[in-house]
mmCIF file of all heavy atoms in Angstrom:
data_model
loop_
_atom_site.group_PDB
_atom_site.id
_atom_site.type_symbol
_atom_site.label_atom_id
_atom_site.label_comp_id
_atom_site.label_asym_id
_atom_site.label_seq_id
_atom_site.Cartn_x
_atom_site.Cartn_y
_atom_site.Cartn_z
ATOM 1 N N LEU A 94 3.982 -9.954 -2.015
ATOM 2 C CA LEU A 94 3.765 -11.359 -2.287
ATOM 3 C C LEU A 94 2.601 -11.901 -1.469
ATOM 4 O O LEU A 94 1.655 -12.530 -2.039
ATOM 5 C CB LEU A 94 5.031 -12.152 -1.959
ATOM 6 C CG LEU A 94 4.953 -13.647 -2.224
ATOM 7 C CD1 LEU A 94 4.861 -13.974 -3.736
ATOM 8 C CD2 LEU A 94 6.175 -14.372 -1.636
ATOM 9 N N GLU A 95 2.580 -11.670 -0.174
ATOM 10 C CA GLU A 95 1.518 -12.171 0.641
ATOM 11 C C GLU A 95 0.239 -11.359 0.457
ATOM 12 O O GLU A 95 -0.896 -11.935 0.468
ATOM 13 C CB GLU A 95 1.895 -12.193 2.131
ATOM 14 C CG GLU A 95 0.838 -12.762 3.022
ATOM 15 C CD GLU A 95 1.378 -13.639 4.180
ATOM 16 O OE1 GLU A 95 2.479 -14.132 4.034
ATOM 17 O OE2 GLU A 95 0.678 -13.733 5.165
ATOM 18 N N ALA A 96 0.362 -10.070 0.182
ATOM 19 C CA ALA A 96 -0.820 -9.242 0.009
ATOM 20 C C ALA A 96 -1.645 -9.724 -1.197
ATOM 21 O O ALA A 96 -2.890 -9.786 -1.136
ATOM 22 C CB ALA A 96 -0.438 -7.775 -0.232
ATOM 23 N N LYS A 97 -0.951 -10.114 -2.308
ATOM 24 C CA LYS A 97 -1.658 -10.607 -3.447
ATOM 25 C C LYS A 97 -2.390 -11.920 -3.101
ATOM 26 O O LYS A 97 -3.510 -12.163 -3.577
ATOM 27 C CB LYS A 97 -0.663 -10.879 -4.609
ATOM 28 C CG LYS A 97 -1.271 -11.420 -5.882
ATOM 29 C CD LYS A 97 -2.311 -10.485 -6.496
ATOM 30 C CE LYS A 97 -2.660 -10.854 -7.923
ATOM 31 N NZ LYS A 97 -3.260 -12.191 -8.019
ATOM 32 N N LYS A 98 -1.768 -12.789 -2.340
ATOM 33 C CA LYS A 98 -2.405 -14.007 -1.931
ATOM 34 C C LYS A 98 -3.632 -13.738 -1.052
ATOM 35 O O LYS A 98 -4.699 -14.435 -1.169
ATOM 36 C CB LYS A 98 -1.416 -14.892 -1.176
ATOM 37 C CG LYS A 98 -0.267 -15.448 -2.024
ATOM 38 C CD LYS A 98 0.735 -16.192 -1.138
ATOM 39 C CE LYS A 98 1.907 -16.648 -1.975
ATOM 40 N NZ LYS A 98 2.905 -17.426 -1.159
ATOM 41 N N MET A 99 -3.567 -12.709 -0.213
ATOM 42 C CA MET A 99 -4.674 -12.332 0.643
ATOM 43 C C MET A 99 -5.870 -11.836 -0.163
ATOM 44 O O MET A 99 -7.013 -12.140 0.109
ATOM 45 C CB MET A 99 -4.258 -11.329 1.667
ATOM 46 C CG MET A 99 -3.272 -11.855 2.691
ATOM 47 S SD MET A 99 -2.609 -10.595 3.812
ATOM 48 C CE MET A 99 -4.074 -10.318 4.868
ATOM 49 N N VAL A 100 -5.572 -11.001 -1.173
ATOM 50 C CA VAL A 100 -6.622 -10.533 -2.086
ATOM 51 C C VAL A 100 -7.346 -11.723 -2.720
ATOM 52 O O VAL A 100 -8.576 -11.796 -2.715
ATOM 53 C CB VAL A 100 -6.050 -9.608 -3.164
ATOM 54 C CG1 VAL A 100 -7.112 -9.266 -4.190
ATOM 55 C CG2 VAL A 100 -5.563 -8.336 -2.537
ATOM 56 N N ASP A 101 -6.585 -12.656 -3.310
ATOM 57 C CA ASP A 101 -7.159 -13.808 -3.979
ATOM 58 C C ASP A 101 -7.991 -14.681 -3.029
ATOM 59 O O ASP A 101 -9.086 -15.120 -3.365
ATOM 60 C CB ASP A 101 -6.037 -14.652 -4.625
ATOM 61 C CG ASP A 101 -5.338 -13.865 -5.781
ATOM 62 O OD1 ASP A 101 -5.952 -12.871 -6.281
ATOM 63 O OD2 ASP A 101 -4.239 -14.282 -6.101
ATOM 64 N N TYR A 102 -7.441 -14.873 -1.831
ATOM 65 C CA TYR A 102 -8.128 -15.699 -0.814
ATOM 66 C C TYR A 102 -9.451 -15.097 -0.414
ATOM 67 O O TYR A 102 -10.488 -15.732 -0.350
ATOM 68 C CB TYR A 102 -7.233 -15.981 0.375
ATOM 69 C CG TYR A 102 -7.767 -16.970 1.367
ATOM 70 C CD1 TYR A 102 -7.277 -18.283 1.404
ATOM 71 C CD2 TYR A 102 -8.784 -16.592 2.259
ATOM 72 C CE1 TYR A 102 -7.780 -19.193 2.352
ATOM 73 C CE2 TYR A 102 -9.254 -17.539 3.192
ATOM 74 C CZ TYR A 102 -8.765 -18.814 3.204
ATOM 75 O OH TYR A 102 -9.250 -19.763 4.108
ATOM 76 N N ALA A 103 -9.367 -13.789 -0.061
ATOM 77 C CA ALA A 103 -10.572 -13.103 0.404
ATOM 78 C C ALA A 103 -11.644 -13.114 -0.723
ATOM 79 O O ALA A 103 -12.825 -13.303 -0.404
ATOM 80 C CB ALA A 103 -10.242 -11.669 0.776
ATOM 81 N N ARG A 104 -11.226 -12.867 -1.914
ATOM 82 C CA ARG A 104 -12.183 -12.871 -3.026
ATOM 83 C C ARG A 104 -12.848 -14.275 -3.191
ATOM 84 O O ARG A 104 -14.066 -14.367 -3.429
ATOM 85 C CB ARG A 104 -11.478 -12.532 -4.322
ATOM 86 C CG ARG A 104 -11.096 -11.010 -4.435
ATOM 87 C CD ARG A 104 -12.309 -10.154 -4.348
ATOM 88 N NE ARG A 104 -12.030 -8.774 -4.770
ATOM 89 C CZ ARG A 104 -12.705 -7.752 -4.379
ATOM 90 N NH1 ARG A 104 -13.807 -7.907 -3.591
ATOM 91 N NH2 ARG A 104 -12.422 -6.532 -4.786
ATOM 92 N N ALA A 105 -12.061 -15.309 -3.054
ATOM 93 C CA ALA A 105 -12.579 -16.660 -3.135
ATOM 94 C C ALA A 105 -13.625 -16.971 -2.026
ATOM 95 O O ALA A 105 -14.501 -17.791 -2.237
ATOM 96 C CB ALA A 105 -11.437 -17.682 -3.080
ATOM 97 N N GLU A 106 -13.455 -16.295 -0.916
ATOM 98 C CA GLU A 106 -14.382 -16.480 0.213
ATOM 99 C C GLU A 106 -15.532 -15.491 0.166
ATOM 100 O O GLU A 106 -16.364 -15.476 1.079
ATOM 101 C CB GLU A 106 -13.605 -16.280 1.573
ATOM 102 C CG GLU A 106 -12.574 -17.340 1.868
ATOM 103 C CD GLU A 106 -13.198 -18.675 2.231
ATOM 104 O OE1 GLU A 106 -14.451 -18.784 2.225
ATOM 105 O OE2 GLU A 106 -12.448 -19.624 2.541
ATOM 106 N N GLY A 107 -15.638 -14.672 -0.890
ATOM 107 C CA GLY A 107 -16.773 -13.751 -1.038
ATOM 108 C C GLY A 107 -16.642 -12.516 -0.151
ATOM 109 O O GLY A 107 -17.640 -11.837 0.067
ATOM 110 N N MET A 108 -15.449 -12.174 0.277
ATOM 111 C CA MET A 108 -15.246 -11.003 1.128
ATOM 112 C C MET A 108 -14.782 -9.820 0.289
ATOM 113 O O MET A 108 -14.205 -9.926 -0.755
ATOM 114 C CB MET A 108 -14.142 -11.310 2.184
ATOM 115 C CG MET A 108 -14.482 -12.476 3.081
ATOM 116 S SD MET A 108 -13.199 -12.775 4.367
ATOM 117 C CE MET A 108 -13.548 -11.455 5.495
ATOM 118 N N LYS A 109 -15.100 -8.637 0.800
ATOM 119 C CA LYS A 109 -14.635 -7.423 0.185
ATOM 120 C C LYS A 109 -13.169 -7.164 0.635
ATOM 121 O O LYS A 109 -12.721 -7.715 1.614
ATOM 122 C CB LYS A 109 -15.524 -6.208 0.565
ATOM 123 C CG LYS A 109 -16.899 -6.251 -0.029
ATOM 124 C CD LYS A 109 -17.703 -5.059 0.267
ATOM 125 C CE LYS A 109 -19.064 -5.059 -0.350
ATOM 126 N NZ LYS A 109 -19.026 -5.007 -1.833
ATOM 127 N N VAL A 110 -12.460 -6.306 -0.144
ATOM 128 C CA VAL A 110 -11.089 -6.069 0.112
ATOM 129 C C VAL A 110 -10.791 -4.568 0.055
ATOM 130 O O VAL A 110 -11.264 -3.872 -0.816
ATOM 131 C CB VAL A 110 -10.182 -6.774 -0.900
ATOM 132 C CG1 VAL A 110 -8.653 -6.512 -0.624
ATOM 133 C CG2 VAL A 110 -10.411 -8.306 -0.922
ATOM 134 N N MET A 111 -10.000 -4.167 1.029
ATOM 135 C CA MET A 111 -9.487 -2.771 1.097
ATOM 136 C C MET A 111 -7.938 -2.880 1.163
ATOM 137 O O MET A 111 -7.382 -3.796 1.779
ATOM 138 C CB MET A 111 -9.969 -2.098 2.317
ATOM 139 C CG MET A 111 -9.546 -0.697 2.619
ATOM 140 S SD MET A 111 -10.308 -0.075 4.132
ATOM 141 C CE MET A 111 -9.765 1.666 4.050
ATOM 142 N N ILE A 112 -7.267 -1.963 0.435
ATOM 143 C CA ILE A 112 -5.843 -1.933 0.548
ATOM 144 C C ILE A 112 -5.482 -0.635 1.252
ATOM 145 O O ILE A 112 -5.930 0.415 0.910
ATOM 146 C CB ILE A 112 -5.152 -2.031 -0.851
ATOM 147 C CG1 ILE A 112 -3.649 -2.166 -0.703
ATOM 148 C CG2 ILE A 112 -5.497 -0.878 -1.762
ATOM 149 C CD1 ILE A 112 -3.156 -3.556 -0.363
ATOM 150 N N GLY A 113 -4.687 -0.769 2.326
ATOM 151 C CA GLY A 113 -4.358 0.391 3.165
ATOM 152 C C GLY A 113 -2.849 0.594 3.278
ATOM 153 O O GLY A 113 -2.025 -0.103 2.648
ATOM 154 N N CYS A 114 -2.470 1.483 4.095
ATOM 155 C CA CYS A 114 -1.037 1.812 4.303
ATOM 156 C C CYS A 114 -0.862 2.387 5.690
ATOM 157 O O CYS A 114 -1.791 2.720 6.433
ATOM 158 C CB CYS A 114 -0.536 2.763 3.280
ATOM 159 S SG CYS A 114 -1.323 4.415 3.293
ATOM 160 N N MET A 115 0.415 2.521 6.079
ATOM 161 C CA MET A 115 0.823 3.311 7.235
ATOM 162 C C MET A 115 1.217 4.685 6.693
ATOM 163 O O MET A 115 0.989 5.060 5.578
ATOM 164 C CB MET A 115 1.978 2.610 7.949
ATOM 165 C CG MET A 115 1.777 1.169 8.244
ATOM 166 S SD MET A 115 0.395 0.841 9.311
ATOM 167 C CE MET A 115 0.528 -0.910 9.587
ATOM 168 N N THR A 116 1.815 5.494 7.619
ATOM 169 C CA THR A 116 2.498 6.695 7.175
ATOM 170 C C THR A 116 3.765 6.192 6.477
ATOM 171 O O THR A 116 4.667 5.626 7.080
ATOM 172 C CB THR A 116 2.829 7.635 8.307
ATOM 173 O OG1 THR A 116 1.667 7.881 9.102
ATOM 174 C CG2 THR A 116 3.428 8.945 7.797
ATOM 175 N N GLU A 117 3.880 6.407 5.131
ATOM 176 C CA GLU A 117 4.957 5.837 4.357
ATOM 177 C C GLU A 117 5.319 6.816 3.281
ATOM 178 O O GLU A 117 4.600 7.733 2.907
ATOM 179 C CB GLU A 117 4.461 4.535 3.692
ATOM 180 C CG GLU A 117 4.029 3.471 4.654
ATOM 181 C CD GLU A 117 3.205 2.368 4.034
ATOM 182 O OE1 GLU A 117 2.856 2.479 2.863
ATOM 183 O OE2 GLU A 117 2.889 1.404 4.771
ATOM 184 N N THR A 118 6.503 6.604 2.709
ATOM 185 C CA THR A 118 6.907 7.338 1.490
ATOM 186 C C THR A 118 6.125 6.775 0.286
ATOM 187 O O THR A 118 5.461 5.716 0.450
ATOM 188 C CB THR A 118 8.387 7.293 1.253
ATOM 189 O OG1 THR A 118 8.737 5.960 0.781
ATOM 190 C CG2 THR A 118 9.210 7.652 2.457
ATOM 191 N N SER A 119 6.303 7.406 -0.846
ATOM 192 C CA SER A 119 5.705 6.874 -2.066
ATOM 193 C C SER A 119 6.225 5.523 -2.462
ATOM 194 O O SER A 119 5.651 4.848 -3.302
ATOM 195 C CB SER A 119 5.901 7.852 -3.196
ATOM 196 O OG SER A 119 5.093 9.028 -3.022
ATOM 197 N N CYS A 120 7.306 5.051 -1.885
ATOM 198 C CA CYS A 120 7.859 3.722 -2.162
ATOM 199 C C CYS A 120 6.846 2.662 -1.758
ATOM 200 O O CYS A 120 6.331 1.907 -2.607
ATOM 201 C CB CYS A 120 9.169 3.506 -1.428
ATOM 202 S SG CYS A 120 9.836 1.886 -1.622
ATOM 203 N N ALA A 121 6.529 2.570 -0.452
ATOM 204 C CA ALA A 121 5.605 1.518 0.001
ATOM 205 C C ALA A 121 4.173 1.756 -0.466
ATOM 206 O O ALA A 121 3.433 0.812 -0.736
ATOM 207 C CB ALA A 121 5.643 1.413 1.539
ATOM 208 N N VAL A 122 3.744 3.031 -0.546
ATOM 209 C CA VAL A 122 2.389 3.313 -1.012
ATOM 210 C C VAL A 122 2.264 2.888 -2.478
ATOM 211 O O VAL A 122 1.266 2.346 -2.900
ATOM 212 C CB VAL A 122 2.074 4.845 -0.873
ATOM 213 C CG1 VAL A 122 0.757 5.171 -1.503
ATOM 214 C CG2 VAL A 122 2.066 5.198 0.632
ATOM 215 N N SER A 123 3.266 3.137 -3.303
ATOM 216 C CA SER A 123 3.176 2.689 -4.691
ATOM 217 C C SER A 123 3.241 1.173 -4.833
ATOM 218 O O SER A 123 2.644 0.630 -5.733
ATOM 219 C CB SER A 123 4.417 3.278 -5.477
ATOM 220 O OG SER A 123 4.298 4.718 -5.515
ATOM 221 N N ALA A 124 3.902 0.523 -3.883
ATOM 222 C CA ALA A 124 3.858 -0.964 -3.897
ATOM 223 C C ALA A 124 2.466 -1.470 -3.594
ATOM 224 O O ALA A 124 1.964 -2.334 -4.357
ATOM 225 C CB ALA A 124 4.864 -1.467 -2.783
ATOM 226 N N ALA A 125 1.781 -0.925 -2.620
ATOM 227 C CA ALA A 125 0.419 -1.317 -2.327
ATOM 228 C C ALA A 125 -0.514 -0.968 -3.478
ATOM 229 O O ALA A 125 -1.406 -1.740 -3.814
ATOM 230 C CB ALA A 125 -0.041 -0.674 -1.025
ATOM 231 N N ALA A 126 -0.237 0.209 -4.087
ATOM 232 C CA ALA A 126 -1.093 0.629 -5.165
ATOM 233 C C ALA A 126 -1.096 -0.274 -6.362
ATOM 234 O O ALA A 126 -2.054 -0.240 -7.178
ATOM 235 C CB ALA A 126 -0.704 2.053 -5.582
ATOM 236 N N GLN A 127 -0.100 -1.098 -6.543
ATOM 237 C CA GLN A 127 -0.055 -2.035 -7.641
ATOM 238 C C GLN A 127 -1.229 -3.028 -7.566
ATOM 239 O O GLN A 127 -1.698 -3.519 -8.619
ATOM 240 C CB GLN A 127 1.271 -2.834 -7.655
ATOM 241 C CG GLN A 127 2.527 -2.005 -7.704
ATOM 242 C CD GLN A 127 2.663 -1.147 -8.969
ATOM 243 O OE1 GLN A 127 2.394 -1.584 -10.086
ATOM 244 N NE2 GLN A 127 2.953 0.156 -8.772
ATOM 245 N N LEU A 128 -1.789 -3.225 -6.365
ATOM 246 C CA LEU A 128 -2.913 -4.140 -6.189
ATOM 247 C C LEU A 128 -4.217 -3.381 -6.259
ATOM 248 O O LEU A 128 -5.299 -4.055 -6.232
ATOM 249 C CB LEU A 128 -2.779 -4.855 -4.849
ATOM 250 C CG LEU A 128 -1.868 -6.050 -4.740
ATOM 251 C CD1 LEU A 128 -1.595 -6.428 -3.322
ATOM 252 C CD2 LEU A 128 -2.473 -7.222 -5.462
ATOM 253 N N SER A 129 -4.206 -2.037 -6.311
ATOM 254 C CA SER A 129 -5.430 -1.293 -6.129
ATOM 255 C C SER A 129 -6.494 -1.603 -7.172
ATOM 256 O O SER A 129 -7.723 -1.506 -6.875
ATOM 257 C CB SER A 129 -5.117 0.190 -6.031
ATOM 258 O OG SER A 129 -4.609 0.659 -7.270
ATOM 259 N N PRO A 130 -6.192 -1.950 -8.405
ATOM 260 C CA PRO A 130 -7.266 -2.260 -9.334
ATOM 261 C C PRO A 130 -8.081 -3.469 -8.973
ATOM 262 O O PRO A 130 -9.181 -3.700 -9.533
ATOM 263 C CB PRO A 130 -6.510 -2.499 -10.703
ATOM 264 C CG PRO A 130 -5.205 -1.795 -10.579
ATOM 265 C CD PRO A 130 -4.842 -1.951 -9.138
ATOM 266 N N ALA A 131 -7.628 -4.244 -8.013
ATOM 267 C CA ALA A 131 -8.305 -5.507 -7.607
ATOM 268 C C ALA A 131 -9.133 -5.339 -6.349
ATOM 269 O O ALA A 131 -9.691 -6.361 -5.867
ATOM 270 C CB ALA A 131 -7.284 -6.587 -7.414
ATOM 271 N N VAL A 132 -9.281 -4.121 -5.785
ATOM 272 C CA VAL A 132 -9.878 -3.988 -4.499
ATOM 273 C C VAL A 132 -11.140 -3.092 -4.542
ATOM 274 O O VAL A 132 -11.391 -2.435 -5.550
ATOM 275 C CB VAL A 132 -8.922 -3.421 -3.426
ATOM 276 C CG1 VAL A 132 -7.667 -4.290 -3.378
ATOM 277 C CG2 VAL A 132 -8.548 -1.941 -3.698
ATOM 278 N N ASP A 133 -11.904 -3.113 -3.462
ATOM 279 C CA ASP A 133 -13.097 -2.342 -3.360
ATOM 280 C C ASP A 133 -12.877 -0.889 -2.834
ATOM 281 O O ASP A 133 -13.485 0.070 -3.260
ATOM 282 C CB ASP A 133 -14.129 -2.981 -2.448
ATOM 283 C CG ASP A 133 -14.480 -4.403 -2.944
ATOM 284 O OD1 ASP A 133 -15.179 -4.476 -3.965
ATOM 285 O OD2 ASP A 133 -14.029 -5.409 -2.320
ATOM 286 N N PHE A 134 -11.997 -0.803 -1.855
ATOM 287 C CA PHE A 134 -11.635 0.486 -1.233
ATOM 288 C C PHE A 134 -10.070 0.584 -1.196
ATOM 289 O O PHE A 134 -9.438 -0.361 -1.005
ATOM 290 C CB PHE A 134 -12.206 0.616 0.184
ATOM 291 C CG PHE A 134 -13.694 0.751 0.291
ATOM 292 C CD1 PHE A 134 -14.488 -0.369 0.465
ATOM 293 C CD2 PHE A 134 -14.273 1.998 0.207
ATOM 294 C CE1 PHE A 134 -15.852 -0.235 0.544
ATOM 295 C CE2 PHE A 134 -15.653 2.142 0.300
ATOM 296 C CZ PHE A 134 -16.443 1.000 0.474
ATOM 297 N N ALA A 135 -9.615 1.815 -1.336
ATOM 298 C CA ALA A 135 -8.205 2.095 -1.157
ATOM 299 C C ALA A 135 -8.007 3.239 -0.175
ATOM 300 O O ALA A 135 -8.718 4.231 -0.244
ATOM 301 C CB ALA A 135 -7.588 2.478 -2.479
ATOM 302 N N ASP A 136 -7.090 3.027 0.765
ATOM 303 C CA ASP A 136 -6.715 4.071 1.716
ATOM 304 C C ASP A 136 -5.220 4.215 1.577
ATOM 305 O O ASP A 136 -4.405 3.802 2.421
ATOM 306 C CB ASP A 136 -7.111 3.675 3.136
ATOM 307 C CG ASP A 136 -6.710 4.692 4.182
ATOM 308 O OD1 ASP A 136 -6.672 5.883 3.840
ATOM 309 O OD2 ASP A 136 -6.363 4.306 5.324
#
C-alpha cells in the first residue's frame, strides 16, 4: 500500500525509482514485483 504511494510521489517529483527486497521467499518478492512495471531498476 505504501510502496505504491511512494512510487507515485517519487514520479511526481521527477525522481527515478528502484524496487528492492531483503532476503525473502517468493511471497514478499512477488509482492514487490507487482510494482516492477512502474520502476526504472529492480533488485
